[in-house]
Amino acid sequence: MSKLSIGIVGLPNVGKSTLFNALLGRQIADASNYPFCTIEPNVGIVGVPDKKLPILGEIAKSKRLVPAVVEFVDIAGLVKGAAEGEGLGNKFLNNIRECDAICHVVRNFSDVNVARAGSTDPDGDFEVVCAELIIKDLEGIDRYIDSSKKKKEEIDKYELALKLKSELEKGVLASRIELDEDEKKMIKEFFLLTLKPFFIVVNVDEDTYSKSKISNLNFQNWEVVPVCAKLEAELADFSKEEREKYLKDLGLEESGLERVIGRAYETLGLQSFYTAGEKEARAWTTRIDSKAPEAAGVIHSDFERGFIAAAIISYTDFVEYKGWLGAKEAGKLRLEGKEYKMKADDVVEFRFNV
């Protein structure tokens, strides 16, 4: 599976670059307090939080641990009018188009020293960005409609274009438009920005960053990930023990960054499977419901081409029976063929012909 990426998107000064820096645990993006401080997108690879991998590594006596990863892209701040070229509009929108999913960052912190640009509240942040994405999508839909009025062979696609235009003009994101199965296949041909899967990060104040306060955070009707990007960036310099203690004092079981990375993984429709041996214990990424040969291809294309079978043990059985040998002796190892759909947390050894 090719590398999948999440574009961090929002208005200027909502905390995108601060969040990006925190995700990477080191200062890469310039987090200066002025619009367009990010011009070229910053790209970083972030490990997926995984409490199971160290346990597998300990059982298999692995020399190293390699987590699954997600790519984050810190994209320049958008302003109203981006679809018409305002600010870094076209560049911004093209950067989004190259990403597989969107992380919308909206501002809910009150630091008067950080200039606001484009809106005055989190709802406004989100609505401005979505409006610009919709406008850009409508441009493409309108071009298609104008050029396809006389193409009888594309009547179904033309009718879909009219439906999309009608819904987009109402402010409905393409990902929220009800479609039948044929329309779901055809809509991909329009490469719509508002069709991309997304999730929302609400950047909150330090003094509101506790379990009791963020659990009551309501943002429209969307499920959101509350994060204090400034605090999370500072925590990146703490030791693991210090970080855990600080979060515990706030009543948080995991950091905001762990929640963001986990939500990114879910938004892309991904799951992990594992390989575990003396050389390394490693988490691999595959799409939910992918079949065994496709998962094998994640490790190496030769594994997919020459796929014979997959020797699989569930994570639970691998731990309970202390590894490959114990699980096999307990009858918990099974051989699966080409039609097997991978399950989350499968521990696997692929068999193949070179």
Side-chain angles (χ1 to χ4, degrees):
M1 184 181 66
S2 58
K3 184 166 54 183
L4 298 173
S5 62
I6 301 278
I8 301 177
V9 171
L11 300 182
N13 299 340
V14 296
K16 300 183 306 299
S17 294
T18 303
L19 175 65
F20 179 82
N21 290 334
L23 284 165
L24 268 67
R26 58 187 186 277
Q27 187 75 18
I28 289 182
D30 178 2
S32 302
N33 175 24
Y34 56 89
F36 314 129
C37 69
T38 299
I39 297 177
E40 294 298 330
N42 298 291
V43 179
I45 305 298
V46 179
V48 176
D50 192 332
K51 296 178 181 179
K52 296 173 181 176
L53 186 61
I55 296 172
L56 288 176
E58 183 177 351
I59 293 171
K61 297 181 173 55
S62 306
K63 294 179 180 178
R64 67 170 183 159
L65 305 179
V66 184
V69 297
V70 174
E71 179 180 273
F72 281 88
V73 183
D74 176 28
I75 297 173
L78 172 148
V79 294
K80 188 174 182 179
E84 283 80 41
E86 289 295 322
L88 299 168
N90 290 325
K91 190 176 188 65
F92 168 93
L93 295 166
N94 286 335
N95 291 152
I96 295 177
R97 199 178 299 281
E98 294 169 2
C99 294
D100 299 285
I102 299 171
C103 168
H104 285 276
V105 180
V106 298
R107 174 173 173 167
N108 198 37
F109 62 88
S110 54
D111 189 342
V112 295
N113 296 314
V114 180
R116 272 197 176 274
S119 81
T120 58
D121 55 57
D123 288 6
D125 289 358
F126 183 66
E127 289 169 1
V128 168
V129 173
C130 287
E132 295 304 319
L133 300 182
I134 286 172
I135 291 169
K136 198 65 178 179
D137 282 349
L138 280 169
E139 286 181 7
I141 293 292
D142 285 338
R143 281 196 301 270
Y144 174 80
I145 290 173
D146 290 341
S147 64
S148 303
K149 288 178 179 178
K150 298 180 181 180
K151 294 182 181 180
K152 294 181 180 180
E153 68 276 11
E154 290 190 3
I155 185 64
D156 290 341
K157 187 175 179 181
Y158 179 74
E159 292 295 330
L160 174 58
L162 293 178
K163 177 178 180 177
L164 295 174
K165 177 177 172 64
S166 175
E167 292 299 307
L168 288 168
E169 286 178 341
K170 297 174 187 175
V172 180
L173 303 177
S175 60
R176 296 300 188 265
I177 299 174
E178 291 188 12
L179 304 171
D180 62 32
E181 291 305 312
D182 289 336
E183 289 173 331
K184 288 177 182 178
K185 294 177 183 177
M186 278 191 293
I187 195 174
K188 296 177 182 178
E189 299 176 21
F190 290 105
F191 302 100
L192 301 177
L193 294 171
T194 59
L195 187 62
K196 290 184 180 293
F198 69 87
F199 62 99
I200 302 169
V201 169
V202 180
N203 191 8
V204 302
D205 282 309
E206 292 178 69
D207 60 1
T208 62
Y209 199 41
S210 66
K211 183 178 181 179
S212 61
K213 293 179 180 178
I214 66 174
S215 61
N216 295 322
L217 185 64
N218 183 29
F219 179 73
Q220 298 185 356
N221 292 316
W222 305 104
E223 184 179 355
V224 301
V225 183
V227 170
C228 177
K230 180 181 178 182
L231 177 60
E232 294 285 349
E234 293 171 356
L235 287 176
D237 294 328
F238 285 29
S239 69
K240 180 182 177 181
E241 292 74 19
E242 291 172 330
R243 187 162 55 247
E244 289 176 350
K245 183 180 184 304
Y246 194 97
L247 292 170
K248 186 177 181 180
D249 290 342
L250 292 174
L252 300 172
E253 296 179 0
E254 59 182 357
S255 71
L257 300 185
E258 290 175 312
R259 294 195 299 275
V260 169
I261 297 167
R263 183 64 61 81
Y265 210 60
E266 293 171 10
T267 300
L268 287 169
L270 305 178
Q271 64 184 10
S272 291
F273 68 91
Y274 300 97
T275 54
E278 289 186 10
K279 181 180 179 181
E280 67 178 23
R282 183 164 184 161
W284 302 87
T285 301
T286 189
R287 292 189 185 277
I288 294 172
D289 288 336
S290 61
K291 293 182 178 180
E294 181 183 343
V298 173
I299 299 176
H300 198 288
S301 57
D302 287 346
F303 288 19
E304 182 173 10
R305 284 193 294 269
F307 180 89
I308 298 174
I312 292 177
I313 301 169
S314 71
Y315 168 81
T316 302
D317 288 337
F318 193 93
V319 173
E320 181 177 351
Y321 296 101
K322 307 301 181 185
W324 287 101
L325 182 59
K328 182 178 180 180
E329 290 175 345
K332 299 299 183 180
L333 185 149
R334 62 189 192 276
L335 288 180
E336 301 288 356
K338 292 183 178 181
E339 296 304 310
Y340 174 73
K341 289 185 178 180
M342 299 293 293
K343 295 181 174 61
D345 303 333
D346 279 343
V347 185
V348 61
E349 185 178 86
F350 292 109
R351 298 178 183 181
F352 60 97
N353 284 322
V354 178

